Amino acid sequence: MASGDPPASSAKVLLLLVRRTDASFRAALRRRFDAVLDFYASGEPLPAFLAAAASAPRPPRAAVVVGAGPARVDAAFLDAVPSLRCLVSLAAGVDFIDLDECARRGVAVANSGRVFSPDVADHAVAMLIDVLRRVSAAQRFVRSGLWPVHGDYPLGSKLGGRRVGIIGLGNIGSLIAKRLEALGCVVYYNSRTPKDSVSYRYFPSVRDLAAASNVLVVACSLNKATRHIVSKDVLEALGKDGIIINISRGANVDEAELAGALRERRIAGAGLDVFENEPGVPAELLSMDNVVMTPHVAVFTSESMSDLRDHTIANLEAFFSGKPLLTPVHPETV
């Protein structure tokens, strides 16, 4: 250990397993912590990187991770780096972290909290307007030179008056509801339990929610209970005029059934920011003008990334100082 270095037991050493951060994010981490072990900068295979980190004189005590990262944080991952006592996710979702295993080992977990919520809500509403008014499809019509040839583009549909069912009325779902209510929509919702704080109609069954709605917005977390929560039955209940918007996780929707329903016009359209096997997208969706797609970017704005940097550092500083995490996640809350 070099002169002036903190002892291994108190060193603020981070394991960074995140691809999509800008230089300022990484620079801010390096200014605040004693060492940052960056997987993507190392150029090593993940097993070798984790083994080297675990055997270092100052092994990492905290890790910054994200769902689109290189590995699921499970028992094998934690066995590889047994010094870890804190995980900070750069996402609100923590479906890639085994929370029960972390709790058993005494590893604290935090997520991004509400940092991204307004941006994701904005994105969901934007996608719905795009699908209804055919904004992206009409732009392609103009750019391809078809306007002078074919004349006016087919009419879109209005947003006001739509019956919108939201699956998951948490931070993001609530903000989506407020935005759509202000735009003249009727809001319904499904969640684990009814919310006393809202006047929206509650549906205990997602199928019944879909049957009462002509738009279904997926805004729930991903877990065993919500995997493929939008199933064939739900799509059938939504009907031929229905629209799906998914800004949650790709696996919340049965993607094969969705593609079939769109192809056969059993539903009218979809707005998708997330997919089951990212970055893979079903090929048949690419040619559908009634489908609007973005590459899992609903959370990303320049403002939100700056806020995320500050929020992440605050969670890490709290951990290293022995204080409660700002946005802890426990198995029973997901």
Side-chain angles (χ1 to χ4, degrees):
M1 182 171 65
S3 176
D5 282 350
S9 60
S10 63
K12 296 180 180 180
V13 180
L14 301 182
L15 200 65
L16 185 61
L17 293 104
V18 179
R19 180 189 298 275
R20 188 169 186 166
T21 58
D22 58 24
S24 65
F25 188 100
R26 285 173 157 78
L29 291 177
R30 290 191 171 93
R31 285 195 300 269
R32 302 294 283 271
F33 303 104
D34 298 321
V36 177
L37 309 178
D38 188 339
F39 168 62
Y40 286 104
S42 73
E44 297 179 311
L46 182 62
F49 172 76
L50 296 179
S55 62
R58 301 187 302 176
R61 297 171 57 212
V64 179
V65 295
V66 71
R72 174 174 169 79
V73 181
D74 54 12
F77 182 98
L78 296 170
D79 282 342
V81 194
S83 58
L84 288 178
R85 287 296 175 267
C86 178
L87 297 168
V88 177
S89 168
L90 295 190
V94 290
D95 48 284
F96 62 100
I97 298 175
D98 188 332
L99 294 176
D100 290 323
E101 187 64 23
C102 288
R104 189 180 72 79
R105 297 175 184 239
V107 177
V109 179
N111 68 355
S112 63
R114 301 187 180 191
V115 168
F116 295 124
S117 299
D119 299 298
V120 177
D122 289 346
H123 199 87
V125 174
M127 294 190 90
L128 177 55
I129 293 172
D130 194 334
V131 174
L132 287 170
R133 298 301 303 271
R134 304 179 183 179
V135 177
S136 295
Q139 178 185 228
R140 290 191 292 272
F141 181 79
V142 173
R143 287 183 179 276
S144 63
L146 294 177
W147 191 7
V149 178
H150 293 289
D152 292 341
Y153 191 73
L155 297 175
S157 300
K158 69 184 298 180
L159 176 62
R162 292 277 162 174
R163 302 185 308 278
V164 181
I166 300 176
I167 305 174
L169 205 68
N171 294 334
I172 294 170
S174 296
L175 291 175
I176 294 171
K178 290 177 180 177
R179 284 157 169 73
L180 291 175
E181 188 178 26
L183 292 168
C185 296
V186 178
V187 176
Y188 305 142
Y189 76 102
N190 164 269
S191 62
R192 284 180 292 186
T193 57
K195 310 284 186 181
D196 295 334
S197 58
V198 302
S199 59
Y200 313 130
R201 183 179 173 186
Y202 171 73
F203 286 80
S205 158
V206 172
R207 189 187 185 284
D208 290 344
L209 176 70
S213 307
N214 42 39
V215 176
L216 208 55
V217 179
V218 186
C220 58
S221 60
L222 178 62
N223 52 47
K224 291 179 181 178
T226 62
R227 181 178 177 81
H228 288 185
I229 195 169
V230 178
S231 61
K232 181 178 181 180
D233 287 347
V234 170
L235 293 167
E236 293 291 346
L238 184 61
K240 63 183 181 62
D241 296 322
I243 292 170
I244 292 281
I245 302 294
N246 189 7
I247 43 72
S248 186
R249 285 287 188 268
N252 288 127
V253 176
D254 188 328
E255 201 168 79
E257 290 293 344
L258 174 63
L262 288 162
R263 180 180 63 249
E264 297 163 12
R265 299 289 177 174
R266 287 183 280 118
I267 67 170
L272 307 172
D273 183 56
V274 289
F275 303 87
E276 283 205 67
N277 299 296
E278 295 176 1
V281 176
E284 63 183 319
L285 295 182
L286 300 177
S287 61
M288 294 180 178
D289 264 354
N290 59 339
V291 180
V292 175
M293 294 176 286
T294 51
H296 204 149
V297 294
V299 300
F300 293 115
T301 64
S302 57
E303 295 85 358
S304 68
M305 292 307 293
S306 175
D307 293 342
L308 178 63
R309 177 195 63 215
D310 297 342
H311 180 82
T312 301
I313 288 173
N315 261 319
L316 291 166
E317 291 283 17
F319 164 71
F320 283 117
S321 301
K323 298 177 181 177
L325 298 176
L326 275 67
T327 48
V329 181
H330 306 288
E332 64 273 13
T333 63
V334 176

